[in-house]
Amino acid sequence: MFDLKTDVNGVLDELYSAKCKNYEMICPILLPLGINQASAITFSKHIFNEITVIGSVDKKFVVVYAKLKKLLIIIDQHAAHERVRLEMLMNEYTHQEIEEVTFKQSKLKKTIPLKLSSDEVRCLSSKDVNNHFRKLGVSYNLQGNCMDIVAVPTCLYNNVFENVDTEKDKLLKLFVSSFIKEEFDFLKNSRCFSKTIPNFLNKIINHEACRGAIKFGDVLTTEACQNLVQSLSLCKLPFQCAHGRPTMVPLTNMRKMPPKVERQKVNLKKLKAL
Ligand SMILES: [Zn+2]
Protein backbone atom coordinates (compact mmCIF):
# COMPACT_ATOMS: atom_id res chain seq x y z
CA MET A 1 0.00 0.00 0.00
CA PHE A 2 1.10 3.51 -0.73
CA ASP A 3 1.84 5.21 2.55
CA LEU A 4 1.18 8.82 1.75
CA LYS A 5 2.33 10.14 5.10
CA THR A 6 5.76 8.49 5.04
CA ASP A 7 6.35 9.24 1.39
CA VAL A 8 5.34 12.86 1.57
CA ASN A 9 7.72 13.32 4.46
CA GLY A 10 10.46 11.52 2.55
CA VAL A 11 10.00 13.70 -0.52
CA LEU A 12 9.91 16.85 1.54
CA ASP A 13 13.04 15.79 3.39
CA GLU A 14 14.82 15.24 0.10
CA LEU A 15 13.63 18.54 -1.30
CA TYR A 16 14.61 20.34 1.87
CA SER A 17 18.09 18.88 2.05
CA ALA A 18 18.69 19.59 -1.67
CA LYS A 19 17.56 23.19 -1.20
CA CYS A 20 19.69 23.55 1.92
CA LYS A 21 22.78 22.42 0.10
CA ASN A 22 22.15 25.01 -2.58
CA TYR A 23 21.75 27.78 -0.07
CA GLU A 24 24.77 26.68 1.91
CA MET A 25 26.83 27.17 -1.24
CA ILE A 26 26.01 30.84 -1.30
CA CYS A 27 25.10 31.78 2.26
CA PRO A 28 27.59 31.94 5.08
CA ILE A 29 26.78 29.80 8.09
CA LEU A 30 26.57 31.67 11.34
CA LEU A 31 28.58 30.11 14.10
CA PRO A 32 27.85 32.07 17.25
CA LEU A 33 30.95 32.29 19.40
CA GLY A 34 30.77 31.01 22.95
CA ILE A 35 32.36 33.09 25.71
CA ASN A 36 35.48 30.90 25.67
CA GLN A 37 35.86 31.11 21.90
CA ALA A 38 35.29 34.87 21.85
CA SER A 39 37.82 35.51 24.60
CA ALA A 40 40.35 33.28 22.81
CA ILE A 41 40.28 35.66 19.83
CA THR A 42 42.79 38.45 20.20
CA PHE A 43 42.89 41.45 17.94
CA SER A 44 45.94 43.21 16.63
CA LYS A 45 45.99 46.49 14.76
CA HIS A 46 46.21 44.56 11.46
CA ILE A 47 42.53 43.75 11.83
CA PHE A 48 41.71 47.28 10.66
CA ASN A 49 43.24 46.54 7.23
CA GLU A 50 40.65 43.85 6.57
CA ILE A 51 37.60 45.49 8.07
CA THR A 52 34.54 46.54 6.09
CA VAL A 53 31.93 48.61 7.87
CA ILE A 54 28.44 47.18 7.54
CA GLY A 55 26.53 49.78 9.53
CA SER A 56 24.97 50.83 12.79
CA VAL A 57 22.78 48.53 14.90
CA ASP A 58 20.30 49.56 17.58
CA LYS A 59 21.93 53.01 17.88
CA LYS A 60 24.60 51.34 20.02
CA PHE A 61 26.98 49.31 17.89
CA VAL A 62 28.85 49.50 14.63
CA VAL A 63 28.92 46.14 12.90
CA VAL A 64 31.98 45.38 10.81
CA TYR A 65 33.21 42.34 8.90
CA ALA A 66 36.83 41.19 9.05
CA LYS A 67 37.33 39.48 5.70
CA LEU A 68 40.42 37.35 6.39
CA LYS A 69 39.43 36.18 9.83
CA LYS A 70 35.83 35.78 8.61
CA LEU A 71 34.63 37.44 11.77
CA LEU A 72 31.58 39.55 12.29
CA ILE A 73 32.59 42.09 14.93
CA ILE A 74 30.60 44.61 16.92
CA ILE A 75 32.14 47.89 17.99
CA ASP A 76 30.68 49.75 20.97
CA GLN A 77 30.11 53.24 19.51
CA HIS A 78 30.53 55.03 22.86
CA ALA A 79 33.61 53.09 23.98
CA ALA A 80 35.27 53.52 20.58
CA HIS A 81 34.68 57.26 20.42
CA GLU A 82 35.76 57.65 24.06
CA ARG A 83 39.11 56.02 23.15
CA VAL A 84 39.50 58.31 20.12
CA ARG A 85 38.76 61.37 22.26
CA LEU A 86 41.05 60.22 25.08
CA GLU A 87 44.06 60.00 22.77
CA MET A 88 43.14 63.32 21.14
CA LEU A 89 42.90 65.01 24.57
CA MET A 90 46.19 63.48 25.73
CA ASN A 91 47.83 65.03 22.66
CA GLU A 92 46.16 68.33 23.39
CA TYR A 93 47.05 68.45 27.10
CA THR A 94 50.52 66.88 27.17
CA HIS A 95 53.89 66.78 25.48
CA GLN A 96 54.69 63.11 24.99
CA GLU A 97 58.24 61.98 24.65
CA ILE A 98 59.56 58.43 24.67
CA GLU A 99 59.60 57.84 28.42
CA GLU A 100 58.14 61.05 29.70
CA VAL A 101 54.81 62.81 29.64
CA THR A 102 54.80 66.51 30.53
CA PHE A 103 51.53 68.29 31.17
CA LYS A 104 50.90 71.62 29.50
CA GLN A 105 50.05 74.36 31.96
CA SER A 106 47.77 77.37 32.12
CA LYS A 107 48.92 80.47 33.96
CA LEU A 108 46.46 81.83 36.51
CA LYS A 109 45.35 85.47 36.49
CA LYS A 110 45.01 85.26 40.26
CA THR A 111 47.40 82.97 42.15
CA ILE A 112 45.99 80.31 44.48
CA PRO A 113 47.46 80.35 48.01
CA LEU A 114 47.66 77.04 49.90
CA LYS A 115 48.76 76.67 53.52
CA LEU A 116 51.38 73.99 54.15
CA SER A 117 52.70 71.96 57.05
CA SER A 118 56.43 72.23 57.83
CA ASP A 119 56.94 68.77 56.27
CA GLU A 120 55.28 69.91 53.08
CA VAL A 121 57.35 73.14 52.97
CA ARG A 122 60.53 71.07 53.26
CA CYS A 123 59.37 68.72 50.53
CA LEU A 124 58.33 71.49 48.13
CA SER A 125 61.61 73.38 48.63
CA SER A 126 63.49 70.55 46.94
CA LYS A 127 64.48 71.27 43.35
CA ASP A 128 63.52 67.75 42.26
CA VAL A 129 60.03 68.09 43.72
CA ASN A 130 59.65 71.50 42.09
CA ASN A 131 60.65 69.93 38.77
CA HIS A 132 58.28 67.01 39.30
CA PHE A 133 55.33 69.34 39.85
CA ARG A 134 56.39 71.44 36.87
CA LYS A 135 56.16 68.32 34.68
CA LEU A 136 52.66 67.78 36.03
CA GLY A 137 51.72 71.33 35.03
CA VAL A 138 51.93 72.95 38.48
CA SER A 139 54.21 75.96 39.07
CA TYR A 140 54.45 77.64 42.46
CA ASN A 141 56.37 80.08 44.64
CA LEU A 142 57.01 79.36 48.31
CA GLN A 143 56.47 82.11 50.84
CA GLY A 144 56.93 81.02 54.45
CA ASN A 145 54.44 78.24 55.08
CA CYS A 146 52.37 79.18 52.05
CA MET A 147 52.44 77.82 48.52
CA ASP A 148 51.43 80.35 45.89
CA ILE A 149 50.26 78.45 42.84
CA VAL A 150 50.86 80.42 39.64
CA ALA A 151 50.04 77.79 37.00
CA VAL A 152 47.94 74.61 36.90
CA PRO A 153 47.60 71.73 34.38
CA THR A 154 45.55 72.92 31.39
CA CYS A 155 43.32 69.83 31.55
CA LEU A 156 42.33 70.76 35.09
CA TYR A 157 41.90 74.45 34.24
CA ASN A 158 39.69 73.71 31.22
CA ASN A 159 37.58 71.28 33.16
CA VAL A 160 36.66 73.94 35.66
CA PHE A 161 36.41 76.95 33.36
CA GLU A 162 34.61 75.32 30.46
CA ASN A 163 32.12 73.21 32.35
CA VAL A 164 31.16 74.99 35.53
CA ASP A 165 28.95 78.07 35.66
CA THR A 166 29.45 79.35 39.20
CA GLU A 167 32.18 79.50 41.85
CA LYS A 168 34.89 78.59 39.36
CA ASP A 169 37.75 79.96 41.51
CA LYS A 170 36.55 78.04 44.55
CA LEU A 171 36.27 74.82 42.56
CA LEU A 172 39.67 75.30 40.93
CA LYS A 173 41.25 75.75 44.37
CA LEU A 174 39.53 72.59 45.59
CA PHE A 175 40.70 70.60 42.56
CA VAL A 176 44.28 71.88 42.74
CA SER A 177 44.60 71.27 46.48
CA SER A 178 43.19 67.72 46.12
CA PHE A 179 45.61 67.01 43.29
CA ILE A 180 48.61 68.32 45.23
CA LYS A 181 47.53 66.38 48.33
CA GLU A 182 47.33 63.18 46.27
CA GLU A 183 50.85 63.78 44.95
CA PHE A 184 52.17 64.52 48.46
CA ASP A 185 50.69 61.27 49.76
CA PHE A 186 52.26 59.36 46.90
CA LEU A 187 55.68 60.93 47.52
CA LYS A 188 55.42 60.27 51.25
CA ASN A 189 54.44 56.61 50.83
CA SER A 190 56.60 55.59 47.90
CA ARG A 191 59.55 57.97 48.41
CA CYS A 192 59.95 58.23 44.65
CA PHE A 193 58.36 60.05 41.73
CA SER A 194 55.65 58.19 39.90
CA LYS A 195 56.38 57.50 36.25
CA THR A 196 52.74 57.04 35.38
CA ILE A 197 50.12 59.74 34.95
CA PRO A 198 48.67 60.74 38.34
CA ASN A 199 45.23 59.29 39.07
CA PHE A 200 43.71 62.70 39.55
CA LEU A 201 44.68 63.96 36.09
CA ASN A 202 43.84 60.60 34.53
CA LYS A 203 40.32 60.77 35.94
CA ILE A 204 39.82 64.33 34.73
CA ILE A 205 40.90 63.55 31.16
CA ASN A 206 38.94 60.25 31.10
CA HIS A 207 35.87 62.09 32.29
CA GLU A 208 36.23 64.73 29.58
CA ALA A 209 36.73 62.01 26.94
CA CYS A 210 33.58 60.23 28.13
CA ARG A 211 31.44 63.37 28.41
CA GLY A 212 32.00 64.49 24.83
CA ALA A 213 31.81 61.04 23.23
CA ILE A 214 29.03 59.59 21.07
CA LYS A 215 26.42 58.02 23.35
CA PHE A 216 24.17 54.97 23.05
CA GLY A 217 21.06 56.24 21.31
CA ASP A 218 22.96 58.59 18.98
CA VAL A 219 22.16 57.82 15.35
CA LEU A 220 25.22 57.18 13.17
CA THR A 221 25.12 57.18 9.38
CA THR A 222 27.24 54.60 7.58
CA GLU A 223 29.71 57.38 6.76
CA ALA A 224 29.92 58.35 10.45
CA CYS A 225 30.52 54.66 11.32
CA GLN A 226 33.32 54.52 8.75
CA ASN A 227 34.91 57.70 10.15
CA LEU A 228 34.71 56.33 13.68
CA VAL A 229 36.38 53.04 12.71
CA GLN A 230 39.03 54.96 10.74
CA SER A 231 39.80 57.19 13.76
CA LEU A 232 39.88 54.15 16.06
CA SER A 233 42.39 52.46 13.74
CA LEU A 234 44.78 55.39 14.27
CA CYS A 235 44.73 55.07 18.09
CA LYS A 236 47.67 53.70 20.05
CA LEU A 237 45.39 51.45 22.12
CA PRO A 238 42.29 50.98 19.97
CA PHE A 239 40.84 47.99 21.81
CA GLN A 240 39.99 49.60 25.17
CA CYS A 241 37.91 52.60 26.16
CA ALA A 242 39.18 55.15 28.70
CA HIS A 243 37.87 52.96 31.52
CA GLY A 244 39.36 49.70 30.25
CA ARG A 245 36.22 48.22 28.67
CA PRO A 246 36.65 46.52 25.27
CA THR A 247 35.79 48.67 22.26
CA MET A 248 35.21 45.71 19.96
CA VAL A 249 34.04 42.14 20.43
CA PRO A 250 33.85 39.25 17.94
CA LEU A 251 30.24 38.29 17.45
CA THR A 252 30.30 35.32 15.15
CA ASN A 253 32.48 33.31 12.82
CA MET A 254 31.27 33.15 9.23
CA ARG A 255 32.38 30.49 6.83
CA LYS A 256 31.14 29.03 3.60
CA MET A 257 30.67 25.36 2.89
CA PRO A 258 33.66 23.77 1.20
CA PRO A 259 33.24 24.04 -2.59
CA LYS A 260 32.85 20.29 -3.23
CA VAL A 261 29.49 19.32 -1.84
CA GLU A 262 27.51 16.62 -3.51
CA ARG A 263 24.01 17.71 -4.16
CA GLN A 264 21.31 15.23 -3.29
CA LYS A 265 18.96 14.46 -6.13
CA VAL A 266 15.30 15.04 -5.60
CA ASN A 267 13.20 11.99 -6.37
CA LEU A 268 10.91 13.55 -8.97
CA LYS A 269 9.04 10.31 -9.64
CA LYS A 270 7.88 10.23 -6.07
CA LEU A 271 7.03 13.90 -6.27
CA LYS A 272 4.90 13.43 -9.41
CA ALA A 273 3.13 10.44 -7.91
CA LEU A 274 1.77 12.53 -5.08
ZN1 LIG B 1 32.14 56.58 28.94
Side-chain angles (χ1 to χ4, degrees):
M1 274 287 285
F2 180 71
D3 184 347
L4 183 69
K5 197 164 178 260
T6 328
D7 272 50
V8 167
N9 283 341
V11 170
L12 289 178
D13 280 349
E14 271 190 77
L15 259 177
Y16 178 74
S17 78
K19 280 285 175 204
C20 278
K21 288 281 184 279
N22 284 341
Y23 284 125
E24 282 166 2
M25 294 294 285
I26 51 167
C27 289
I29 301 170
L30 294 179
L31 298 174
L33 294 169
I35 290 173
N36 289 342
Q37 286 169 296
S39 57
I41 294 173
T42 52
F43 292 132
S44 76
K45 280 184 149 197
H46 298 294
I47 193 96
F48 289 103
N49 299 332
E50 51 161 309
I51 269 179
T52 307
V53 172
I54 296 173
S56 165
V57 172
D58 201 22
K59 299 178 194 163
K60 293 186 182 85
F61 304 105
V62 176
V63 178
V64 300
Y65 180 56
K67 202 172 152 195
L68 300 178
K69 288 194 190 302
K70 298 201 184 321
L71 282 177
L72 199 62
I73 296 167
I74 50 168
I75 298 180
D76 176 326
Q77 65 185 39
H78 172 70
H81 195 217
E82 190 175 275
R83 162 54 57 183
V84 171
R85 281 182 50 77
L86 175 66
E87 297 202 5
M88 181 198 79
L89 290 170
M90 281 303 287
N91 282 333
E92 195 180 314
Y93 289 141
T94 64
H95 299 288
Q96 295 174 50
E97 277 150 42
I98 297 166
E99 282 207 343
E100 197 171 70
V101 175
T102 309
F103 280 80
K104 293 180 187 172
Q105 57 176 207
S106 296
K107 283 203 167 169
L108 299 174
K109 285 176 197 149
K110 219 167 85 189
T111 61
I112 298 175
L114 285 183
K115 282 203 170 171
L116 304 170
S117 68
S118 50
D119 265 1
E120 289 167 342
V121 173
R122 215 171 306 125
C123 176
L124 286 167
S125 311
S126 139
K127 223 179 175 187
D128 288 343
V129 174
N130 191 300
N131 244 335
H132 173 69
F133 273 105
R134 173 69 192 77
K135 281 178 193 163
L136 297 179
V138 178
S139 289
Y140 58 87
N141 296 318
L142 285 176
Q143 286 179 353
N145 64 344
C146 192
M147 177 189 197
D148 236 356
I149 297 164
V150 294
V152 297
T154 304
C155 58
L156 203 149
Y157 184 90
N158 282 6
N159 239 277
V160 172
F161 281 87
E162 287 179 7
N163 302 303
V164 182
D165 295 328
T166 54
E167 303 196 277
K168 296 181 183 200
D169 291 329
K170 211 169 156 188
L171 195 70
L172 187 65
K173 184 171 179 175
L174 185 75
F175 270 31
V176 173
S177 57
S178 308
F179 170 45
I180 288 173
K181 167 104 182 51
E182 190 186 276
E183 276 307 299
F184 267 141
D185 288 347
F186 183 87
L187 285 173
K188 224 192 286 174
N189 296 330
S190 64
R191 295 179 182 278
C192 67
F193 299 117
S194 162
K195 285 187 176 161
T196 56
I197 295 172
N199 255 340
F200 197 91
L201 298 184
N202 232 343
K203 270 190 211 160
I204 280 191
I205 298 179
N206 286 352
H207 180 67
E208 188 175 344
C210 177
R211 206 178 47 231
I214 294 166
K215 302 274 182 287
F216 276 6
D218 289 349
V219 180
L220 296 192
T221 61
T222 307
E223 198 190 348
C225 293
Q226 283 163 342
N227 290 340
L228 178 60
V229 174
Q230 165 70 9
S231 306
L232 189 64
S233 75
L234 300 174
C235 288
K236 286 182 195 156
L237 296 170
F239 305 116
Q240 285 184 348
C241 80
H243 305 98
R245 290 191 313 274
T247 53
M248 52 203 275
V249 173
L251 186 65
T252 186
N253 213 325
M254 297 173 87
R255 64 170 174 80
K256 288 183 180 173
M257 284 290 281
K260 278 190 179 176
V261 177
E262 274 193 27
R263 295 185 186 191
Q264 287 186 13
K265 285 177 188 163
V266 176
N267 190 334
L268 291 175
K269 273 187 189 170
K270 279 188 183 177
L271 196 61
K272 278 181 189 169
L274 287 176

